[in-house]
Structures are given as structure tokens and as C-alpha cells.
Amino acid sequence: MTDGVERARSLLDDAALRLRAAAVPDEALGEYVEPKPVLGIRREPTMRSLGRVWRVGALLVGASPETAGRVWATGAITRVTDPGRAQFQSVSAEVRRAYRAAAAKGHFRAGDTVNHGATPIPLDASLVGSTGVLFVGDDVPLVRWSPAAVAAVPLEAYLADRVGLLVDPPQGATD
């Protein structure tokens, strides 16, 4: 394992400790599940809970015992609310409604934010030269806003900035 990978692990662990110490609210991490039909009867999709995470920009940092020490690239996000009835106004509105319905069916708390479609990022040698959101280049852990982005910033500065905003938000940001 390279020093860059170890440094990434250490920085992410420190970020989690800082977020926990400041009692920053976490969010749910879920997996969208489309159950197979039983006896030909189609069942509604649901979301299965995978634990709790903190959303730190393009990264999700583990916040619960199930997710501790792990990180994901942010995927889709939905809020657990009453999905309402189908309106068929647009495909995107119906997709969002379906995600809300699946989250509600998954027994998440009302009003909770559920991150789903997140991509796990292994904190191992595969980070070296990776094309993902988190990678190690020249033995320095780096992060980019999306896998398609060319520009990347050092993970240390990124976490200092993003965690700093969560721990001590600017006045009026949470009103």
C-alpha cells in the first residue's frame, strides 16, 4: 500500500472524527431494490438501509458502525416524504416520485435524506491512478467533483474546506 492511500485513509478518518465530535447531522445511505416477482405478482421497489453517512461534497463518509471507515462517491439523493400520486407531467418528476415512494417503503424516517446509487470507493492500492472521484496521483490523495472532471484538488485541502463548512457553517446558512 502506498503512502498516498494511507494518507487518504487517515484524512478521511480524521474528517469523520471531527464531524462526529461536532455532532454534524448525518444522512441515510440506501440501496434501491427492485424485488423479483413472486408467483408472477410484481412487487413495488424499496430502499434498503446500508447505514449512515455524512455528505462531504462529492464524497460520502461513513458515520455509523456499518459504514465506519468507508467512503462512497455521491450518487442520487432523495428526501423521505409522501410520494403523492402519479401526475405524469414529466419522466424526471415520476422518477423522483418513485424514489420517494421506495424510500418511504424502506422504513426511513420521514424527512430524512437518503443517498442512493452511491459508488463505493475502495481505500486500497486501486486508488493509485484511478479515474474515479477519489484517487492518488504522485503519492498525494486527490479528489475531483465527478469522474468526468479533469481538475482535482488535494484531499487534505478539500476536506478542510468541506468539513469546516459542515462543522462551522456561515451565519444564516442553516436558518
Side-chain angles (χ1 to χ4, degrees):
M1 187 128 1
T2 69
D3 289 339
V5 173
E6 287 301 322
R7 182 74 179 137
R9 281 185 179 176
S10 174
L11 289 167
L12 290 163
D13 287 344
D14 290 347
L17 288 172
R18 190 169 171 209
L19 291 163
R20 184 170 289 109
V24 171
D26 57 15
E27 300 175 349
L29 177 64
E31 175 184 34
Y32 185 78
V33 179
E34 281 199 50
K36 294 183 182 194
V38 175
L39 299 173
I41 299 170
R42 187 176 160 264
R43 297 180 296 156
E44 293 297 315
T46 187
M47 282 202 199
R48 181 173 65 93
S49 176
L50 300 176
R52 308 291 295 179
V53 293
W54 288 290
R55 188 169 1 125
V56 183
L59 302 173
L60 300 174
V61 177
S64 64
E66 305 90 354
T67 60
R70 298 172 60 202
V71 65
W72 292 260
T74 302
I77 301 163
T78 193
R79 176 123 10 226
V80 182
T81 62
D82 178 20
R85 358 182 286 265
Q87 300 291 317
F88 302 107
Q89 291 180 347
S90 71
V91 172
S92 62
E94 288 306 309
V95 167
R96 289 190 305 272
R97 190 191 70 71
Y99 284 141
R100 286 192 308 273
K105 200 172 190 63
H107 306 293
F108 293 95
R109 295 185 319 252
D112 201 2
T113 300
V114 181
N115 295 276
H116 56 96
T119 306
I121 301 173
L123 296 174
D124 59 21
S126 66
L127 285 180
V128 178
S130 170
T131 58
V133 172
L134 179 64
F135 66 102
V136 173
D138 293 329
D139 225 20
V140 175
L142 302 163
V143 66
R144 49 175 83 100
W145 278 103
S146 74
V150 176
V153 296
L155 179 62
E156 184 170 16
Y158 179 84
L159 289 175
D161 181 49
R162 301 298 302 187
V163 171
L165 287 171
L166 291 169
V167 169
D168 187 23
Q171 186 173 6
T174 58
D175 295 341

